[in-house]
Amino acid sequence: MTTSARPRAIALWLYVVAALVFAMVVVGGITRLTESGLSMVRWEPISGVVPPLNDAEWHAEFEAYKAYPEYQKVNRGMSLSEFKAIFFWEYLHRVLGRFIGLAFALPLAWFWARRAIPEGYKPRLLALLALGGLQGAIGWWMVASGLIDRPDVAHDRLAVHLGTALFILGGLVWTARDLMALQRREGRSRLKGFAVLALSVLAIQIVLGAFVAGLNAGHAFAEWPLMGGHFFPEGVQWLEPLWRNVVDNPVVVQWVHRWWAWLAAALLVLLSVRTSRESGGSAPRLVLLLLTAQIILGIATLLTGVALHVAVAHQAVAALLVWAAVSCAHGLGRPGYRMH
């Protein structure tokens, strides 16, 4: 490490960016649940930062919205004030995304110019920057799917958008923890096999959750643990080929999301226990706390008929759980520690 390197400062900056990404995930959840995501029908990365500023501009924006399927098939007859309400969340989501881009790119350029980035970290930081840019393109790719025929974004694209956001969050946290270890003169952590398994199962659960949201599958059965009075509901209309049901069938997707959760929970508990035993720290306890909250919120989301505040909390805790689980995996992979 060169004398000009500032690993701790860079790590703290990355934690701030990770917190902003968490906020972005929460706002994205609100945008989805309030059905606001299709209110802005153009992708204008630069000029789109400025919202409508007068009545004429608002009416022009509203008229543009009226030309697309969501207004024509779902919201026909809505008032301008109602349009402003849904426009707000999508606008906030997009502006926050641009702000995160600047919050990453500008300090990165400053640290780079000051030769403060430790050796070996420039490629990783550039990769995170590139992923952030890609995420903006994925966001528009997702929105565009709801501007053609069906007035709703494609659930698979929604899953890619959410998954990429949480992958970026995990990458920021892992890199920040590596830099903190460097500050302490410790080596980098490595992903161990069990941690890969636990994080992969958690990732699948999050993708299933995105499918549930995108298909509005949470409304299929507002009861728990049974569905229609049965462990597996009767009268399911199966899709062909069979694998499509886990992706496209709302009833099956909800069922798989319910029960895959227990596999994810079991592996996260084991990850927490092993990390606590091997390297300690607060992350293992946080995983257990967040996991308990997430199970309760998942059940409450169903029982309340996907109430907005409950469903948003469910998505928020999922993001925090990713943060804590990545921290556990990092602790488990620290040099000098071994798994039993």
Side-chain angles (χ1 to χ4, degrees), residues 251-267:
V251 173
V252 176
V253 168
Q254 190 197 121
W255 185 87
V256 175
H257 185 58
R258 286 177 176 225
W259 298 108
W260 186 267
W262 297 106
L263 175 60
L267 291 174

Side-chain angles (χ1 to χ4, degrees), residues 171-302:
L172 289 166
V173 171
W174 186 280
T175 303
R177 289 180 69 90
D178 264 354
L179 287 162
M180 283 297 196
L182 180 62
Q183 179 73 28
R184 298 189 298 268
R185 307 287 181 177
E186 298 174 359
R188 296 182 187 178
S189 288
R190 293 187 177 183
L191 266 176
K192 298 292 182 70
F194 180 76
V196 171
L197 175 63
L199 291 176
S200 297
V201 170
L202 175 60
I204 291 171
Q205 176 65 1
I206 288 169
V207 168
L208 288 167
F211 288 167
V212 169
L215 292 167
N216 295 316
H219 298 280
F221 290 92
E223 59 182 293
W224 188 89
L226 302 179
M227 297 175 69
H230 301 274
F231 174 69
F232 188 86
E234 295 182 337
V236 175
Q237 296 181 352
W238 295 95
L239 303 176
E240 296 291 343
L242 194 61
W243 64 264
R244 281 191 56 209
N245 290 279
V246 183
V247 177
D248 297 327
N249 190 322
V251 173
V252 176
V253 168
Q254 190 197 121
W255 185 87
V256 175
H257 185 58
R258 286 177 176 225
W259 298 108
W260 186 267
W262 297 106
L263 175 60
L267 291 174
L268 287 174
V269 168
L270 288 174
L271 177 65
S272 171
V273 170
R274 290 188 176 189
T275 306
S276 179
R277 182 187 304 157
E278 298 292 347
S279 63
S282 60
R285 294 190 295 275
L286 280 173
V287 165
L288 296 179
L289 178 64
L290 291 167
L291 182 59
T292 301
Q294 186 68 337
I295 291 170
I296 293 170
L297 286 168
I299 296 170
T301 299
L302 290 172

Side-chain angles (χ1 to χ4, degrees), residues 39-291:
S39 57
M40 296 179 68
V41 296
R42 294 182 294 270
W43 189 35
E44 299 168 330
I46 306 301
S47 61
V49 175
V50 181
L53 299 176
N54 53 51
D55 284 345
E57 291 180 0
W58 272 114
H59 279 94
E61 195 73 38
F62 193 23
E63 289 302 316
Y65 173 69
K66 288 180 179 179
Y68 288 88
E70 186 174 72
Y71 176 83
Q72 296 167 357
K73 297 181 179 181
V74 179
N75 290 331
R76 181 175 292 276
M78 79 182 314
S79 66
L80 178 60
S81 62
E82 290 171 328
F83 170 71
K84 289 180 179 181
I86 63 172
F87 183 93
F88 168 79
W89 287 112
E90 176 64 8
Y91 173 75
L92 178 61
H93 188 56
R94 295 194 189 190
V95 169
L96 183 55
R98 291 169 173 81
F99 178 75
I100 292 171
L102 291 175
F104 192 93
L106 295 181
L108 174 61
W110 187 86
F111 284 123
W112 197 302
R114 301 281 293 185
R115 302 182 184 275
I117 301 173
E119 185 179 353
Y121 282 87
K122 288 180 180 178
R124 199 190 309 186
L125 294 173
L126 287 174
L128 287 169
L129 178 64
L131 276 174
L134 177 64
Q135 176 70 333
I138 291 172
W140 175 247
W141 174 63
M142 176 189 69
V143 169
S145 67
L147 300 177
I148 304 172
D149 299 313
R150 180 171 173 264
D152 210 352
V153 299
H155 62 286
D156 53 348
R157 299 189 186 189
L158 174 65
V160 172
H161 192 48
L162 177 61
T164 304
L166 294 178
F167 184 82
I168 292 170
L169 177 65
L172 289 166
V173 171
W174 186 280
T175 303
R177 289 180 69 90
D178 264 354
L179 287 162
M180 283 297 196
L182 180 62
Q183 179 73 28
R184 298 189 298 268
R185 307 287 181 177
E186 298 174 359
R188 296 182 187 178
S189 288
R190 293 187 177 183
L191 266 176
K192 298 292 182 70
F194 180 76
V196 171
L197 175 63
L199 291 176
S200 297
V201 170
L202 175 60
I204 291 171
Q205 176 65 1
I206 288 169
V207 168
L208 288 167
F211 288 167
V212 169
L215 292 167
N216 295 316
H219 298 280
F221 290 92
E223 59 182 293
W224 188 89
L226 302 179
M227 297 175 69
H230 301 274
F231 174 69
F232 188 86
E234 295 182 337
V236 175
Q237 296 181 352
W238 295 95
L239 303 176
E240 296 291 343
L242 194 61
W243 64 264
R244 281 191 56 209
N245 290 279
V246 183
V247 177
D248 297 327
N249 190 322
V251 173
V252 176
V253 168
Q254 190 197 121
W255 185 87
V256 175
H257 185 58
R258 286 177 176 225
W259 298 108
W260 186 267
W262 297 106
L263 175 60
L267 291 174
L268 287 174
V269 168
L270 288 174
L271 177 65
S272 171
V273 170
R274 290 188 176 189
T275 306
S276 179
R277 182 187 304 157
E278 298 292 347
S279 63
S282 60
R285 294 190 295 275
L286 280 173
V287 165
L288 296 179
L289 178 64
L290 291 167
L291 182 59

Side-chain angles (χ1 to χ4, degrees), residues 11-33:
L12 293 176
W13 157 60
L14 292 179
Y15 279 132
V16 170
V17 177
L20 290 172
V21 172
F22 166 74
M24 184 73 164
V25 170
V26 173
V27 172
I30 297 172
T31 302
R32 170 62 194 168
L33 289 161

